[in-house]
């Protein structure tokens, strides 16, 4: 151990001091993604709308959000809006993560909706289903299934991106790592702990998404 | 195998198409189509690919919107409004070349979907009728299976049951056997033949000349977007008037 300039034995010792911070990371990721799913679905349907102005609004949203960094969006929500409304750090992080991921999720949903064979919509309409009902009963259930793998990917990205919330004082993993590092001068050890926490959470997410994928496979030929 | 052709056809016009024109961009696919179908009549449309026969069928239930022309169901003009179309489409059962079953639903759910979601029939009643329809197409043992586990012929029979579930006045068949392996064509045609015998009004686009000969009351030959010739099958196949019809029949009928 002495060959290395770091005291790696503190890693297991201090590991669980990060539990609460990991909870915050999970919390902002979970609600951020939930918010993002709602925005994403609305924006995807909006983009596919035959009303040009609705489609244009949704395209503009996706263009603006995908073209700018999450950090900028986070600062706009937390600092930028203060002259209008003050939002606490955690809600700010959830809003920024939601709006940010919503743009990507919208594109995931749009792609998966468009990948469903046109014959499905025609068959639904041919038995007299209105457009909305056909979307809800026939197209979206199939599209969601196809969206699961890319959504899993997006979820992992969101979890890691939540570390940016450390910049607006959300007491999540990254901030905890910086605080613990500066108070002990054991930066390497503390950031290794942070890294391990992220790795554990992303692994669990991958596993859960994989299970969901498997369970949705019932109607496919194996 | 021959089919006894007791004609159930009546004088009541159930479907009338007047001066239908459909363009895809510059290309005029249907040029002033006029057609009447009586209740109980089986009309088979034949013609080379690109002659406009599938487009005609798709225009009838407004999956394609024609630029000009009028369509009447039971002498009532069908207007191109979403609300009315949702009603009208229930009266026009459509069977597609590629089946288009809902893959995320079991066979019975496929058949029940329209009854429950569109007609608002209670689930238990819908189930009973769906079971009857599956028996009618010979698939009562496949009720709880997903479409992915079925052969093409079985899928198409489920699709027919799904369309029948809406109790349509007319059944539209858009090349229902063209995507099937040859050995599976017979089971679908036999279900269609049964349906014709029961008096269902049918408008069928097909390349199965056997079906046209044996089951049709009237055969329509389409060529380059017009109805070039129409006649009872015995006339159409034995003594077509038009040269183009003869040329087409020579190609598709092995001499």
């Amino acid at each position: 151990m002495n060959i290395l300039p770091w005291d790696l034995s503190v890693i297991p010792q201090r590991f669980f001091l990060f539990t609460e911070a990991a909870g915050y990371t999970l919390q902002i990721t979970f609600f951020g993604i939930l918010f993002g799913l709602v925005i994403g679905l609305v924006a995807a349907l909006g983009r596919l709308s035959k009303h040009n102005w609705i489609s244009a609004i949704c395209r503009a949203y996706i263009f603006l959000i995908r073209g700018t960094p999450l950090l900028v969006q986070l600062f706009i929500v937390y600092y930028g809006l203060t002259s209008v409304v003050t939002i606490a750090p955690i809600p700010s992080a959830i809003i920024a993560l939601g709006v940010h991921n919503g743009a990507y999720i919208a594109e995931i949903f749009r792609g998966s909706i468009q990948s469903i064979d046109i014959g499905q919509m025609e068959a639904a309409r041919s038995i007299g289903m209105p457009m909305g009902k056909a979307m809800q009963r026939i197209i979206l259930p199939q599209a969601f299934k196809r969206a699961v793998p890319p959504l899993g990917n997006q979820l992992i990205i969101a979890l890691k991106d939540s570390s940016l919330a450390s910049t607006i004082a959300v007491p999540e993993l990254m901030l905890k790592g910086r605080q613990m590092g500066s108070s002990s001068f054991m930066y390497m050890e503390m950031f290794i702990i942070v890294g391990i926490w992220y790795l554990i959470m992303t692994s669990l997410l991958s596993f859960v998404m994989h299970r969901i994928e498997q369970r949705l496979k019932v109607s496919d030929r194996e | 195998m021959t089919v006894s052709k007791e004609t159930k056809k009546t004088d009541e016009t159930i479907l009338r198409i007047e001066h239908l024109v459909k363009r895809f961009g510059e290309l005029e696919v249907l040029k002033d189509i006029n057609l009447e179908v009586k209740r109980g009549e089986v009309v088979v449309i034949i013609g080379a690919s690109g002659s406009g026969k599938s487009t005609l069928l798709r225009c009838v239930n407004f999956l394609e919107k024609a630029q000009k022309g009028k369509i009447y169901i039971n002498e009532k003009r069908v207007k191109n409004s979403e609300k009315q179309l949702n009603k009208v489409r229930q009266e026009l059962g459509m069977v597609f070349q590629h089946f288009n079953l809902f893959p995320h639903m079991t066979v019975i759910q496929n058949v029940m979907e329209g009854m429950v979601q569109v007609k608002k029939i209670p689930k238990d009643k819908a189930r009973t009728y769906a079971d009857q329809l599956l028996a009618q197409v010979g698939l009562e043992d496949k009720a709880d299976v997903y479409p992915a586990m079925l052969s093409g012929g079985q899928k198409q029979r489920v699709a027919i049951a799904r369309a029948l579930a809406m109790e349509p006045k007319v059944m539209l068949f858009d090349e229902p056997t063209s995507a099937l392996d040859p050995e599976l064509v017979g089971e679908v045609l036999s279900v269609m033949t049964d349906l014709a015998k029961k008096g269902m009004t049918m408008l069928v686009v097909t390349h199965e000349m056997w079906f046209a000969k044996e089951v049709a009351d009237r055969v329509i030959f389409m060529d380059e977007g017009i109805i070039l010739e129409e006649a009872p099958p015995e006339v159409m196949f034995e003594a077509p008037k038009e040269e183009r019809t003869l040329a087409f029949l020579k190609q598709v009928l092995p001499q």
Side-chain angles (χ1 to χ4, degrees), chain B residues 72-88:
Chain B
Y72 299 83
I73 311 278
N74 271 353
E75 299 299 347
K76 242 183 84 184
R77 168 99 191 263
V78 181
K79 290 195 207 87
N80 186 5
S81 83
E82 281 294 300
K83 230 180 171 177
Q84 205 201 346
L85 286 185
N86 293 334
K87 277 249 152 63
V88 165

Side-chain angles (χ1 to χ4, degrees), chain A residues 50 117 119-120 122-131 133 137-138 141-142 218-221, chain B residues 58 82 86 89-90 92 94 96 100-105 113-114 117-118 120 146 148 162 166:
Chain A
K50 53 185 173 206
D117 185 78
Q120 289 292 308
E122 290 184 350
R125 301 310 302 275
S126 80
I127 54 173
M129 272 195 187
M131 185 73 174
K133 184 137 233 164
R137 296 281 312 170
I138 307 301
Q142 297 181 58
V218 279
S219 61
D220 300 345
R221 197 192 290 263
Chain B
R58 292 165 58 81
E82 281 294 300
N86 293 334
R89 286 190 180 121
Q90 295 175 46
L92 302 168
M94 180 89 175
F96 299 88
N100 299 348
L101 291 182
F102 307 134
H104 57 304
M105 298 181 183
E113 182 68 8
Q117 295 295 329
V118 181
K120 309 286 177 198
Y146 283 97
R162 177 179 67 182
M166 304 309 286

Side-chain angles (χ1 to χ4, degrees), chain A residues 41-205:
Chain A
L41 180 58
V42 172
L45 291 174
R47 253 208 80 161
L48 296 170
S49 164
K50 53 185 173 206
H51 301 289
N52 286 334
W53 61 276
I54 296 179
S55 167
I57 290 173
C58 295
R59 268 206 308 276
Y61 156 70
I62 293 165
F63 169 76
L64 287 175
I65 297 300
R66 285 205 310 182
T68 54
L70 172 59
L71 192 57
V72 173
Q73 294 156 16
L74 197 64
F75 279 16
I76 284 177
V77 173
Y78 186 65
Y79 297 111
L81 289 179
T82 40
S83 50
V84 187
V85 56
T86 311
I87 307 172
I90 289 175
S92 291
I94 290 171
I95 291 169
L97 274 173
V99 170
H100 183 78
N101 284 284
Y104 289 91
I105 292 172
E107 289 295 88
I108 291 173
F109 280 154
R110 182 176 68 95
S112 60
I113 289 169
Q114 284 179 326
S115 79
I116 303 299
D117 185 78
I118 181 80
Q120 289 292 308
M121 182 52 96
E122 290 184 350
R125 301 310 302 275
S126 80
I127 54 173
M129 272 195 187
M131 185 73 174
K133 184 137 233 164
M135 209 46 165
Q136 175 210 333
R137 296 281 312 170
I138 307 301
I139 307 299
L140 287 181
Q142 297 181 58
F144 278 135
K145 207 162 115 177
R146 290 194 192 172
V148 168
L151 279 179
N153 204 27
Q154 193 60 38
L155 189 52
I156 286 170
I157 292 171
L159 183 97
K160 293 186 294 179
D161 279 356
S162 72
S163 59
L164 287 173
S166 61
T167 59
I168 57 165
V170 175
E172 47 69 72
L173 274 175
M174 192 63 201
L175 184 62
K176 182 77 174 172
R178 277 165 57 192
Q179 287 167 345
M180 298 282 280
S182 63
S183 62
S184 64
F185 293 105
M186 292 190 283
Y187 283 107
M188 177 59 101
E189 294 84 342
M190 294 308 136
F191 286 128
I192 286 177
I193 293 176
V194 169
I196 293 172
W197 270 104
Y198 279 114
L199 204 54
I200 290 170
M201 290 193 286
T202 51
S203 305
L204 282 175
L205 278 182

